[in-house]
Amino acid sequence: MAKDCSFDIVSEVDMQEMDNAVNQTTKEIGQRYDFKGSKAEIVLEKDSLKLSAEDEYKLGAMLDILRTKMVKRNVPLKCLDPGKIESAFSGTVKQTVMIQKGISKEKGKAVVGYIKEQKLKVQAQIMDDQVRVIGAKKDDLQAVIQKLKEKDFGIELQFINFRS
């Protein structure tokens, strides 16, 4: 009997690295000339970031600084889902940026559907916030990984638990 191989597709964020990126962003905001004397703040909560600044320009600059720090720390940029900019008290603006972790049901269905379209001899199934792919041949699984890397699902995909 042939032994099946498998791997899991996940979308994870290293929250320690995200925390480090936020801390570096806060430090750079405190040192930059264009932020001198302004009330710019970025706070990391459990699954979101709270940004507040004096105007939309500074809010955008803070997000750009954060993205730069995230790239240097290998934190995927696709995990950020910026909300709309809202007015806050005393003329400031605020924005909530959600941190996407895991694969949602809709994205999972899209990934499974795309795998089935490839007509490879593998099976894909959604398990909570990840997708498991099972096949008899390692080559088929590697082909699935290659195809998934070529397509953009709007989230960062990682491939873990490769078992043969």
Side-chain angles (χ1 to χ4, degrees), residues 4 11 15 18 23 27 31 41 45 48 53 55 65 70 81 83 88-89 94 101 103 108 131 134 139 142 146 153-154:
D4 283 345
S11 182
M15 291 308 286
M18 177 62 90
N23 290 338
K27 189 173 184 180
Q31 294 172 343
E41 182 181 44
E45 294 182 351
S48 65
D55 54 45
I65 296 168
M70 287 171 61
D81 182 20
F89 63 93
K94 64 180 181 176
K101 293 188 269 185
I103 300 174
V131 176
I134 303 168
D139 292 344
Q142 289 171 338
Q146 197 59 43
F153 291 97

Side-chain angles (χ1 to χ4, degrees), residues 14-133:
D14 184 348
M15 291 308 286
Q16 182 60 51
E17 290 297 333
M18 177 62 90
D19 185 45
N20 292 340
V22 169
N23 290 338
Q24 286 181 334
T25 301
T26 302
K27 189 173 184 180
E28 184 169 328
I29 288 169
Q31 294 172 343
R32 280 185 41 165
Y33 180 76
D34 53 345
F35 283 97
K36 283 279 189 242
S38 70
K39 295 179 219 137
E41 182 181 44
I42 181 168
V43 178
L44 176 63
E45 294 182 351
K46 187 176 181 218
D47 290 331
S48 65
L49 295 165
K50 304 284 187 202
L51 284 75
S52 62
E54 292 174 344
D55 54 45
E56 289 185 30
Y57 171 76
K58 286 191 171 116
L59 215 55
M62 288 170 54
L63 211 49
D64 287 344
I65 296 168
L66 176 65
R67 287 184 174 129
T68 303
K69 302 301 180 189
M70 287 171 61
V71 166
K72 289 181 181 176
R73 298 197 147 282
N74 294 321
V75 178
L77 295 177
K78 290 181 182 178
C79 75
L80 295 182
D81 182 20
K84 65 178 188 172
I85 297 173
E86 303 169 355
S87 295
F89 63 93
S90 66
T92 61
V93 290
K94 64 180 181 176
Q95 183 176 27
T96 301
V97 179
M98 297 305 296
I99 300 171
Q100 298 176 350
K101 293 188 269 185
I103 300 174
S104 67
K105 291 283 185 208
E106 295 80 32
K107 300 279 185 189
K109 287 178 183 176
V111 169
V112 169
Y114 183 72
I115 291 170
K116 287 182 179 177
E117 287 174 14
Q118 302 308 309
K119 304 281 191 239
L120 295 166
K121 294 182 180 176
V122 297
Q123 291 179 332
Q125 61 189 23
I126 300 171
M127 297 173 57
D128 296 326
D129 61 350
Q130 63 185 26
V131 176
R132 176 160 290 165
V133 181

